[in-house]
Amino acid sequence: MREVRLPAMLKQLIDDSESHGNRRRVGEQLGVTPAALSQYINGQTTPTFDKLLAMAELFSVPLDFLVFGPDTTIGGHGGAVEYGPITRYVEAGISLVQADIAAQAAFVAKVGEILASQIDAAAKVASKRASTLNGMLDKEQALELERYSEESTIVTLDLTDDLVPVDSDVEQGVTAGNFLAVTAANLSLGRPYHYVLSPDIEDHATVIHQYRTLLLGENLTETDLRHCRFDVAQDSFYVGCCLFRLDVDGMRRHSPVLHRYLTPFITSDKRLGYVEPPGSPLHAYFLLDPERIETAVRVLHRLAPPATGS
């Protein structure tokens, strides 16, 4: 089996493209966050098959070249292959079937391996989500949803999904969780966040400082952090809640399955919310219907009244 060289090839193609290594621009063209793109380049996660096709189209290279790197033996002639959009590559492959059936069979097998791995991954994800019911989100869905939030309010008992404890000899003793990476990507686009922290959290100032420091570590600036506000609730609460104002059109284009699932829960002014019950054995989030979103907004105003003049 040939070595998969996707991370190295993706980095090379980004550096050599018209974007000249601008990962944020490439991420926008692919519909992924800078953090997700960095994970692809570092080999930490594997893109879906749809994303692989999008990368091949964006850089005008064959899927085989993107995944395995240059191969000067294609066709059995030892010469370089002229790479174009994936559709032209497939057409060229068809024209070579009669001349070199063995080479084409190998190519089809490689694509089949990729498809099989993606189907297997999708089946594993689906099996993990079997316990969630209609009107519920698992963590992966919640992450995907937040990427389309243009304005976010997070009412939280703690920040364990954003601040992950690590060994004490590491600076600050915490590192960034998946949700913090999404927050950083949104803040870089000027999308505001309002965190309402439980009054029962110990040492709010330290927690906020840790959070801001990790955000700066995600290549944000102090100007970006002006869009991130923290308040301590005036009273205790026992259920976390997230309220979003969504880029519904963006979700419809880039995450159509998620958009179809969430449509009944999105209000006419593009708001959506969910709650996370404490100690849920499902580790699931429960979507709010439009009426309960209005109730959540009223409760939020009691917990953290808007600043005077805001």
Side-chain angles (χ1 to χ4, degrees):
M1 182 182 296
R2 289 174 58 191
E3 177 187 3
V4 175
R5 299 183 58 202
L6 174 64
M9 295 307 304
L10 182 55
K11 182 179 185 303
Q12 176 182 327
L13 289 168
I14 292 173
D15 291 341
D16 294 343
S17 69
E18 295 179 356
S19 297
H20 304 294
N22 188 327
R23 294 184 182 181
R24 180 171 295 179
R25 182 186 302 172
V26 172
E28 290 173 353
Q29 292 172 313
L30 292 173
V32 301
T33 65
L37 187 61
S38 294
Q39 290 176 343
Y40 297 158
I41 293 171
N42 294 328
Q44 296 171 320
T45 59
T46 302
T48 64
F49 187 65
D50 287 345
K51 292 301 181 188
L52 285 174
L53 292 179
M55 292 173 188
E57 289 285 2
L58 176 62
F59 298 116
S60 297
V61 299
L63 186 61
D64 188 57
F65 178 81
L66 174 65
V67 175
F68 296 106
D71 183 351
T72 58
T73 63
I74 294 177
H77 303 298
V81 177
E82 179 183 355
Y83 295 118
I86 187 68
T87 51
R88 294 204 301 271
Y89 179 70
V90 173
E91 292 173 358
I94 294 174
S95 69
L96 291 174
V97 169
Q98 292 181 338
D100 196 343
I101 291 185
Q104 289 304 308
F107 172 74
V108 171
K110 294 168 189 174
V111 175
E113 288 176 9
I114 296 171
L115 284 171
S117 66
Q118 294 298 325
I119 292 171
D120 182 61
K124 290 179 180 178
V125 171
S127 66
K128 292 178 180 178
R129 295 181 178 180
S131 59
T132 60
L133 306 174
N134 184 45
M136 297 168 61
L137 296 172
D138 62 25
K139 181 170 288 190
E140 292 301 319
Q141 289 171 315
L143 274 168
E144 185 177 1
L145 162 64
E146 193 166 330
R147 293 188 178 100
Y148 298 101
S149 176
E150 295 183 325
E151 182 178 354
S152 306
T153 300
I154 314 295
V155 182
T156 179
L157 296 164
D158 53 48
L159 287 170
T160 53
D161 283 331
D162 302 87
L163 303 179
V164 180
V166 293
D167 294 338
S168 58
D169 59 343
V170 177
E171 185 179 0
Q172 292 203 91
V174 294
T175 189
N178 290 332
F179 278 91
L180 187 137
V182 175
T183 300
N186 280 338
L187 287 172
S188 70
L189 299 174
R191 296 175 169 180
Y193 271 77
H194 179 200
Y195 285 90
V196 179
L197 306 180
S198 167
D200 300 316
I201 293 177
E202 295 183 3
D203 197 353
H204 294 91
T206 296
V207 171
I208 294 171
H209 174 73
Q210 290 174 331
Y211 199 88
R212 290 173 60 88
T213 300
L214 288 176
L215 286 174
L216 290 173
E218 296 284 332
N219 297 319
L220 296 185
T221 66
E222 289 290 348
T223 299
D224 294 325
L225 294 190
R226 293 177 184 175
H227 301 294
C228 190
R229 168 188 165 197
F230 293 89
D231 283 316
V232 178
Q234 296 185 356
D235 197 1
S236 296
F237 54 88
Y238 304 98
V239 175
C241 176
C242 295
L243 299 172
F244 305 115
R245 193 176 301 276
L246 299 176
D247 172 14
V248 176
D249 291 336
M251 183 190 297
R252 182 187 297 111
R253 290 194 304 271
H254 301 297
S255 295
V257 175
L258 183 66
H259 173 262
R260 285 194 296 270
Y261 179 62
L262 295 178
T263 292
F265 302 94
I266 300 174
T267 67
S268 59
D269 57 353
K270 302 181 180 180
R271 289 183 299 168
L272 184 139
Y274 63 74
V275 296
E276 179 183 9
S280 169
L282 301 175
H283 199 75
Y285 307 93
F286 292 79
L287 290 162
L288 298 172
D289 59 35
E291 181 179 349
R292 287 179 173 81
I293 288 176
E294 296 299 331
T295 301
V297 170
R298 291 195 296 271
V299 172
L300 173 62
H301 285 172
R302 291 200 300 269
L303 289 173
T308 303
S310 64

